[in-house]
Amino acid sequence: DAKTTQPPSMDCAEGRAANLPCNHSTISGNEYVYWYRQIHSQGPQYIIHGLKNNETNEMASLIITEDRKSSTLILPHATLRDTAVYYCIVRVAFNNAGNMLTFGGGTRLMVKP
Amino acid sequence: DTAVSQTPKYLVTQMGNDKSIKCEQNLGHDTMYWYKQDSKKFLKIMFSYNNKELIINETVPNRFSPKSPDKAHLNLHINSLELGDSAVYFCASSQEGRVYGYTFGSGTRLTVV
């Protein structure tokens, strides 16, 4: 699986857009970009994923650069409840190694009033 | 109905004891996992299991063993507990290992004294 690099922490004002970057310069053609988040004391929660095109769902938007070497998760109107650790994961959709999902250090997003 | 449920939520026990954590999923997923999150907050995969095979992270001591009585359950047994086993343990499930479809339980905080 490709390695990802995320800033360890970020702040965002409530109501503003939170833009969380992720670098994955060694991504392979068949690897997707996935985002999960972990709110304090809870299990991780899936947010969104994409391969090449930008994606949007009810939680967030995912912008992937044309060369696919980096991406940005956008929370359009951050709320206090979005305070969490956000994990960017690059992986093939399926693999034979038990399909295990590996988490890095993530970005700790603090949304402030 | 909780999709992935773990019991107990908290577990305090003495060194040397043997304990189990139960996990049940009602999503019809075919693959289940156990993760450990230590005090530094890193999430580490321990096991991946479906009805075909068990994949073990090589760093997991053999004091830890998963037991699956049926497709909906994957319990974690820990023998001869040590202080370093104190952590939060998360169970998760997915269908065919699809990365976007991981659903996590709310975690079990194990404290070994």
Side-chain angles (χ1 to χ4, degrees):
Chain A
D1 299 341
K3 179 179 171 60
T4 62
T5 304
Q6 298 179 253
S9 64
M10 290 181 65
D11 289 344
C12 177
E14 188 179 19
R16 304 296 294 269
N19 298 298
L20 293 96
C22 180
N23 287 325
H24 32 79
S25 58
T26 61
I27 190 170
S28 300
N30 61 346
E31 289 182 314
Y32 288 72
V33 180
Y34 300 88
W35 283 85
Y36 276 73
R37 75 179 181 183
Q38 186 176 23
I39 295 171
H40 180 62
S41 299
Q42 299 181 20
Q45 174 191 26
Y46 165 77
I47 302 173
I48 198 167
H49 74 284
L51 182 63
K52 295 181 183 178
N53 299 322
N54 298 337
E55 302 288 344
T56 295
N57 63 20
E58 65 279 3
M59 291 182 68
S61 294
L62 174 61
I63 308 299
I64 303 174
T65 58
E66 191 169 343
D67 63 8
R68 301 207 325 123
K69 293 185 177 181
S70 66
S71 59
T72 302
L73 177 75
I74 301 172
L75 308 178
H77 305 286
T79 70
L80 299 178
R81 288 175 293 179
D82 292 321
T83 293
V85 178
Y86 288 77
Y87 298 98
C88 171
I89 300 165
V90 171
R91 232 206 61 178
V92 295
F94 302 87
N95 68 31
N96 293 323
N99 293 309
M100 292 190 283
L101 191 61
T102 304
F103 292 83
T107 295
R108 184 172 298 278
L109 175 68
M110 178 74 72
V111 180
K112 298 184 175 180
Chain B
D1 258 357
T2 303
V4 179
S5 59
Q6 299 178 224
T7 54
K9 189 170 178 63
Y10 300 95
L11 181 56
V12 181
T13 188
Q14 291 186 327
M15 285 176 55
N17 285 349
D18 302 337
K19 290 293 179 184
S20 295
I21 304 172
K22 295 184 178 181
C23 178
E24 176 182 4
Q25 55 97 1
N26 62 7
L27 298 167
H29 287 168
D30 62 4
T31 308
M32 297 183 72
Y33 313 84
W34 277 104
Y35 282 80
K36 176 181 180 182
Q37 188 165 40
D38 59 23
S39 58
K40 295 183 178 179
K41 302 300 184 183
F42 286 108
L43 268 166
K44 296 180 182 177
I45 180 70
M46 300 177 71
F47 304 101
S48 164
Y49 181 81
N50 62 22
N51 58 9
K52 299 173 185 175
E53 66 179 326
L54 171 67
I55 304 293
I56 303 171
N57 186 320
E58 60 186 13
T59 66
V60 175
N62 58 15
R63 297 181 294 103
F64 290 78
S65 59
K67 298 283 194 305
S68 180
D70 56 58
K71 189 177 170 181
H73 296 81
L74 184 67
N75 303 323
L76 182 64
H77 296 267
I78 316 170
N79 295 326
S80 303
L81 277 155
E82 301 177 357
L83 293 177
D85 297 332
S86 295
V88 180
Y89 292 85
F90 289 98
C91 177
S93 70
S94 72
Q95 182 61 23
E96 298 174 341
R98 291 173 188 160
V99 181
Y100 63 82
Y102 273 60
T103 302
F104 283 79
S106 57
T108 295
R109 181 174 294 278
L110 171 65
T111 304
V112 182
V113 298

